[in-house]
């Protein structure tokens, strides 16, 4: 059996098992299976090691482990090294390789919605694992300016420094909440607003969404967060996290199996699992 696990915490709303298991079935890959492994930070190293020792072949890693997992891998791909975060693990010649498909997934969902971020001023909430993938993906697609707003500012500063080394022409800021008023793209890469905390929003007090902005929330449960409701009411174009989930999953699936992923099967499985979660 080719077992794949998802390590993260919390995982009760994860749609990844439904998405990947539907894809395996659709391609007749009956010896493949995908399971969740709710894992707290203190247990990550042992849990991942035990899974691979017991014959696991690959894994996904999600909140809050995308940076901490780096110490468990033998090698990072160029993408994961640049981003400084890992969401996908696979074995190559008995070595554990850390990769990152979040940036690809984020961009593909943006392109599916016909949004080209080139030249845009962007505000990003968060500086964790997925925020790093989003920031590097946007920077490599020639955005003009990026303001990173994070609860712990030092983490935002670290991300800004890492970006500046690679994208010298990018205008970066870590404190300017006033950038929101000029933002053309606003991205939430924090869990604020995720179930069960659905009454929360990364927007505080009198923050206003500029009319015509694109507001993209990586959260997919609920499919429309409080942030997206506020943004839609203010006339913004909104995008939830389901598209990204599917596209980062497609990239991981192809890496693991070497087969073209059945995109529509995965989209349908995610939609159905999401409806039954609601
Ligand atoms: P992470 O590495 O643990 O980072 C979490 C980030 O959120 C950090 O910047 C953290 O700030 C901030 N944060 C956490 N709790 C907060 C709070 N109560 N108030 C304000 N800020 C808070 O997690 P991650 O893997 O990047 O995941 C972040 C979110 O993206 C999750 O909701 C996850 O489900 C979602 N996501 C979705 C997809 C998708 O495919 N749709 C893919 C990846 C991630 P500090 O640095 O100050 O702690």
């Amino acid at each position: 059996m080719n077992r794949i696990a998802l390590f993260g915490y919390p995982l009760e709303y994860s749609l990844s098992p439904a998405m990947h298991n539907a894809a395996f079935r659709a391609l007749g890959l009956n010896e493949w299976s995908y399971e969740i492994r709710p894992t707290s930070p203190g247990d990550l190293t042992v849990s991942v090691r035990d899974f691979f020792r017991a014959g696991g072949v690959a894994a996904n890693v999600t909140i809050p482990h995308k940076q901490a997992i780096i110490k468990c891998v033998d090698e990072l791909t160029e993408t994961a090294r640049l981003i400084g975060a890992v969401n996908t693990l696979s074995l190559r010649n008995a070595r554990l390789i850390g990769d990152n498909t979040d940036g690809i997934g984020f961009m593909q969902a943006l392109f599916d919605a016909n949004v080209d971020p080139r030249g845009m001023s962007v505000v990003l909430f968060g500086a964790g694992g997925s925020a790093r993938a989003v920031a590097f993906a946007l920077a490599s697609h020639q955005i003009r300016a990026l303001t990173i707003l994070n609860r712990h500012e030092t983490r935002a500063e670290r991300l800004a420094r890492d970006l500046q080394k690679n994208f010298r022409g990018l205008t970066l800021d870590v404190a300017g909440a006033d950038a929101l008023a000029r933002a053309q793209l606003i991205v939430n890469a924090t869990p604020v607003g995720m179930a069960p905390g659905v009454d929360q929003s990364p927007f505080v007090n009198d923050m206003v969404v500029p009319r015509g902005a694109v507001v993209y929330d990586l959260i997919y449960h609920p499919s429309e967060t409080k942030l997206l409701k506020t943004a839609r009411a203010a006339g913004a174009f909104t995008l939830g996290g389901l598209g990204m989930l599917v596209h980062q999953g497609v990239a991981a699936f192809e890496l693991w199996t070497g087969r073209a992923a059945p995109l529509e099967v995965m989209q349908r499985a995610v939609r159905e699992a999401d409806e039954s979660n609601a």
Side-chain angles (χ1 to χ4, degrees), residues 63 66 127-130 150-152 155 189-192 218 241 244-245:
I63 186 171
K66 287 180 178 174
S130 41
N150 195 49
R151 181 175 55 179
H152 294 99
R155 212 170 172 191
T190 78
V192 178
L218 267 53
M244 173 175 173
L245 177 76

Side-chain angles (χ1 to χ4, degrees), residues 53-71:
R53 277 190 184 161
V57 297
N60 275 139
V61 182
T62 189
I63 186 171
H65 304 313
K66 287 180 178 174
Q67 289 171 278
I69 192 68
I70 289 177
K71 65 178 183 300

Side-chain angles (χ1 to χ4, degrees), residues 9-10 16 61-68 85-87 102 105-106 125-134 148-156 188-194 200-202 216-221 240-249:
Y9 196 84
S16 294
V61 182
T62 189
I63 186 171
H65 304 313
K66 287 180 178 174
Q67 289 171 278
V86 163
N87 79 329
D102 275 340
F106 173 84
F125 288 104
S130 41
R132 293 186 66 92
V134 165
I148 305 161
L149 302 177
N150 195 49
R151 181 175 55 179
H152 294 99
E153 206 172 295
T154 48
R155 212 170 172 191
N188 177 35
T190 78
V192 178
M194 184 167 81
Q200 294 166 13
S201 164
Y216 189 162
D217 200 329
L218 267 53
I219 291 171
Y220 57 78
H221 190 76
L242 282 175
M244 173 175 173
L245 177 76
V246 171
H247 286 298
Q248 62 76 33

